[in-house]
PDB file of all heavy atoms in Angstrom:
ATOM      1  N   VAL A   5       0.857  -1.174   0.000  1.00 90.00           N
ATOM      2  CA  VAL A   5       0.000   0.000   0.000  1.00 90.00           C
ATOM      3  C   VAL A   5       0.893   1.224   0.000  1.00 90.00           C
ATOM      4  O   VAL A   5       1.830   1.320   0.781  1.00 90.00           O
ATOM      5  CB  VAL A   5      -0.916   0.026   1.237  1.00 90.00           C
ATOM      6  CG1 VAL A   5      -1.680   1.325   1.317  1.00 90.00           C
ATOM      7  CG2 VAL A   5      -1.856  -1.150   1.238  1.00 90.00           C
ATOM      8  N   ASP A   6       0.571   2.154  -0.894  1.00 89.00           N
ATOM      9  CA  ASP A   6       1.303   3.419  -0.915  1.00 89.00           C
ATOM     10  C   ASP A   6       0.420   4.472  -1.555  1.00 89.00           C
ATOM     11  O   ASP A   6      -0.469   4.167  -2.345  1.00 89.00           O
ATOM     12  CB  ASP A   6       2.608   3.281  -1.706  1.00 89.00           C
ATOM     13  CG  ASP A   6       3.657   4.282  -1.249  1.00 89.00           C
ATOM     14  OD1 ASP A   6       3.399   5.500  -1.374  1.00 89.00           O
ATOM     15  OD2 ASP A   6       4.719   3.866  -0.780  1.00 89.00           O
ATOM     16  N   ILE A   7       0.688   5.714  -1.217  1.00 89.00           N
ATOM     17  CA  ILE A   7      -0.031   6.844  -1.796  1.00 89.00           C
ATOM     18  C   ILE A   7       0.626   7.311  -3.088  1.00 89.00           C
ATOM     19  O   ILE A   7       0.023   7.989  -3.901  1.00 89.00           O
ATOM     20  CB  ILE A   7      -0.129   8.007  -0.779  1.00 89.00           C
ATOM     21  CG1 ILE A   7      -1.134   9.047  -1.235  1.00 89.00           C
ATOM     22  CG2 ILE A   7       1.237   8.602  -0.497  1.00 89.00           C
ATOM     23  CD1 ILE A   7      -1.445  10.093  -0.191  1.00 89.00           C
ATOM     24  N   ASN A   8       1.870   6.898  -3.291  1.00 91.00           N
ATOM     25  CA  ASN A   8       2.666   7.359  -4.427  1.00 91.00           C
ATOM     26  C   ASN A   8       2.624   6.352  -5.576  1.00 91.00           C
ATOM     27  O   ASN A   8       3.095   5.221  -5.432  1.00 91.00           O
ATOM     28  CB  ASN A   8       4.107   7.579  -3.968  1.00 91.00           C
ATOM     29  CG  ASN A   8       4.972   8.204  -5.030  1.00 91.00           C
ATOM     30  OD1 ASN A   8       4.750   8.037  -6.216  1.00 91.00           O
ATOM     31  ND2 ASN A   8       5.983   8.914  -4.588  1.00 91.00           N
ATOM     32  N   PRO A   9       2.097   6.743  -6.738  1.00 95.00           N
ATOM     33  CA  PRO A   9       2.046   5.824  -7.883  1.00 95.00           C
ATOM     34  C   PRO A   9       3.422   5.315  -8.302  1.00 95.00           C
ATOM     35  O   PRO A   9       3.545   4.172  -8.767  1.00 95.00           O
ATOM     36  CB  PRO A   9       1.421   6.671  -8.999  1.00 95.00           C
ATOM     37  CG  PRO A   9       0.727   7.784  -8.307  1.00 95.00           C
ATOM     38  CD  PRO A   9       1.476   8.036  -7.041  1.00 95.00           C
ATOM     39  N   LEU A  10       4.465   6.120  -8.129  1.00 96.00           N
ATOM     40  CA  LEU A  10       5.809   5.659  -8.505  1.00 96.00           C
ATOM     41  C   LEU A  10       6.287   4.536  -7.588  1.00 96.00           C
ATOM     42  O   LEU A  10       6.967   3.611  -8.033  1.00 96.00           O
ATOM     43  CB  LEU A  10       6.795   6.826  -8.484  1.00 96.00           C
ATOM     44  CG  LEU A  10       6.554   7.906  -9.537  1.00 96.00           C
ATOM     45  CD1 LEU A  10       7.538   9.060  -9.352  1.00 96.00           C
ATOM     46  CD2 LEU A  10       6.646   7.327 -10.938  1.00 96.00           C
ATOM     47  N   ALA A  11       5.931   4.615  -6.323  1.00 93.00           N
ATOM     48  CA  ALA A  11       6.284   3.544  -5.395  1.00 93.00           C
ATOM     49  C   ALA A  11       5.562   2.252  -5.776  1.00 93.00           C
ATOM     50  O   ALA A  11       6.160   1.173  -5.770  1.00 93.00           O
ATOM     51  CB  ALA A  11       5.944   3.951  -3.966  1.00 93.00           C
ATOM     52  N   ILE A  12       4.301   2.367  -6.123  1.00 94.00           N
ATOM     53  CA  ILE A  12       3.525   1.194  -6.555  1.00 94.00           C
ATOM     54  C   ILE A  12       4.145   0.591  -7.812  1.00 94.00           C
ATOM     55  O   ILE A  12       4.312  -0.622  -7.924  1.00 94.00           O
ATOM     56  CB  ILE A  12       2.046   1.573  -6.789  1.00 94.00           C
ATOM     57  CG1 ILE A  12       1.379   1.992  -5.475  1.00 94.00           C
ATOM     58  CG2 ILE A  12       1.294   0.443  -7.476  1.00 94.00           C
ATOM     59  CD1 ILE A  12       1.201   0.900  -4.447  1.00 94.00           C
ATOM     60  N   GLN A  13       4.509   1.447  -8.760  1.00 97.00           N
ATOM     61  CA  GLN A  13       5.143   0.981  -9.995  1.00 97.00           C
ATOM     62  C   GLN A  13       6.451   0.247  -9.692  1.00 97.00           C
ATOM     63  O   GLN A  13       6.745  -0.794 -10.280  1.00 97.00           O
ATOM     64  CB  GLN A  13       5.398   2.170 -10.927  1.00 97.00           C
ATOM     65  CG  GLN A  13       5.950   1.802 -12.264  1.00 97.00           C
ATOM     66  CD  GLN A  13       6.160   3.034 -13.142  1.00 97.00           C
ATOM     67  OE1 GLN A  13       6.094   4.172 -12.690  1.00 97.00           O
ATOM     68  NE2 GLN A  13       6.393   2.801 -14.416  1.00 97.00           N
ATOM     69  N   SER A  14       7.234   0.760  -8.772  1.00 96.00           N
ATOM     70  CA  SER A  14       8.497   0.131  -8.387  1.00 96.00           C
ATOM     71  C   SER A  14       8.266  -1.254  -7.786  1.00 96.00           C
ATOM     72  O   SER A  14       8.973  -2.214  -8.111  1.00 96.00           O
ATOM     73  CB  SER A  14       9.232   1.029  -7.388  1.00 96.00           C
ATOM     74  OG  SER A  14      10.400   0.424  -6.933  1.00 96.00           O
ATOM     75  N   VAL A  15       7.272  -1.364  -6.926  1.00 95.00           N
ATOM     76  CA  VAL A  15       6.962  -2.653  -6.310  1.00 95.00           C
ATOM     77  C   VAL A  15       6.442  -3.633  -7.367  1.00 95.00           C
ATOM     78  O   VAL A  15       6.809  -4.808  -7.372  1.00 95.00           O
ATOM     79  CB  VAL A  15       5.946  -2.485  -5.163  1.00 95.00           C
ATOM     80  CG1 VAL A  15       5.442  -3.831  -4.666  1.00 95.00           C
ATOM     81  CG2 VAL A  15       6.565  -1.692  -4.024  1.00 95.00           C
ATOM     82  N   LYS A  16       5.614  -3.155  -8.291  1.00 96.00           N
ATOM     83  CA  LYS A  16       5.114  -4.032  -9.360  1.00 96.00           C
ATOM     84  C   LYS A  16       6.263  -4.581 -10.200  1.00 96.00           C
ATOM     85  O   LYS A  16       6.231  -5.739 -10.630  1.00 96.00           O
ATOM     86  CB  LYS A  16       4.113  -3.286 -10.237  1.00 96.00           C
ATOM     87  CG  LYS A  16       2.759  -3.130  -9.583  1.00 96.00           C
ATOM     88  CD  LYS A  16       1.776  -2.453 -10.517  1.00 96.00           C
ATOM     89  CE  LYS A  16       0.402  -2.400  -9.882  1.00 96.00           C
ATOM     90  NZ  LYS A  16      -0.604  -1.797 -10.754  1.00 96.00           N
ATOM     91  N   LYS A  17       7.282  -3.775 -10.412  1.00 97.00           N
ATOM     92  CA  LYS A  17       8.449  -4.231 -11.162  1.00 97.00           C
ATOM     93  C   LYS A  17       9.155  -5.356 -10.407  1.00 97.00           C
ATOM     94  O   LYS A  17       9.538  -6.377 -10.995  1.00 97.00           O
ATOM     95  CB  LYS A  17       9.408  -3.066 -11.406  1.00 97.00           C
ATOM     96  CG  LYS A  17      10.626  -3.445 -12.217  1.00 97.00           C
ATOM     97  CD  LYS A  17      11.535  -2.259 -12.455  1.00 97.00           C
ATOM     98  CE  LYS A  17      12.750  -2.732 -13.247  1.00 97.00           C
ATOM     99  NZ  LYS A  17      13.846  -1.806 -13.179  1.00 97.00           N
ATOM    100  N   THR A  29      -0.467  -4.887  -4.928  1.00 93.00           N
ATOM    101  CA  THR A  29      -0.246  -3.478  -4.610  1.00 93.00           C
ATOM    102  C   THR A  29      -1.595  -2.757  -4.519  1.00 93.00           C
ATOM    103  O   THR A  29      -2.550  -3.104  -5.218  1.00 93.00           O
ATOM    104  CB  THR A  29       0.611  -2.791  -5.688  1.00 93.00           C
ATOM    105  OG1 THR A  29      -0.043  -2.905  -6.948  1.00 93.00           O
ATOM    106  CG2 THR A  29       1.984  -3.425  -5.769  1.00 93.00           C
ATOM    107  N   ILE A  30      -1.639  -1.761  -3.648  1.00 93.00           N
ATOM    108  CA  ILE A  30      -2.850  -0.954  -3.477  1.00 93.00           C
ATOM    109  C   ILE A  30      -2.425   0.508  -3.411  1.00 93.00           C
ATOM    110  O   ILE A  30      -1.649   0.894  -2.544  1.00 93.00           O
ATOM    111  CB  ILE A  30      -3.608  -1.339  -2.192  1.00 93.00           C
ATOM    112  CG1 ILE A  30      -4.011  -2.818  -2.215  1.00 93.00           C
ATOM    113  CG2 ILE A  30      -4.828  -0.439  -2.006  1.00 93.00           C
ATOM    114  CD1 ILE A  30      -4.578  -3.317  -0.898  1.00 93.00           C
ATOM    115  N   LEU A  31      -2.949   1.294  -4.320  1.00 93.00           N
ATOM    116  CA  LEU A  31      -2.696   2.734  -4.340  1.00 93.00           C
ATOM    117  C   LEU A  31      -3.797   3.426  -3.545  1.00 93.00           C
ATOM    118  O   LEU A  31      -4.971   3.406  -3.936  1.00 93.00           O
ATOM    119  CB  LEU A  31      -2.674   3.240  -5.789  1.00 93.00           C
ATOM    120  CG  LEU A  31      -2.408   4.731  -5.974  1.00 93.00           C
ATOM    121  CD1 LEU A  31      -0.991   5.079  -5.521  1.00 93.00           C
ATOM    122  CD2 LEU A  31      -2.602   5.121  -7.428  1.00 93.00           C
ATOM    123  N   THR A  32      -3.429   4.006  -2.395  1.00 91.00           N
ATOM    124  CA  THR A  32      -4.418   4.660  -1.536  1.00 91.00           C
ATOM    125  C   THR A  32      -3.714   5.520  -0.504  1.00 91.00           C
ATOM    126  O   THR A  32      -2.541   5.320  -0.224  1.00 91.00           O
ATOM    127  CB  THR A  32      -5.310   3.623  -0.820  1.00 91.00           C
ATOM    128  OG1 THR A  32      -6.314   4.313  -0.069  1.00 91.00           O
ATOM    129  CG2 THR A  32      -4.526   2.742   0.115  1.00 91.00           C
TER     130      THR A  32
END
Side-chain angles (χ1 to χ4, degrees):
V5 173
D6 206 298
I7 193 171
N8 186 332
L10 294 176
I12 295 293
Q13 184 179 12
S14 176
V15 171
K16 284 183 176 182
K17 182 179 179 198
T29 59
I30 301 171
L31 180 66
T32 184

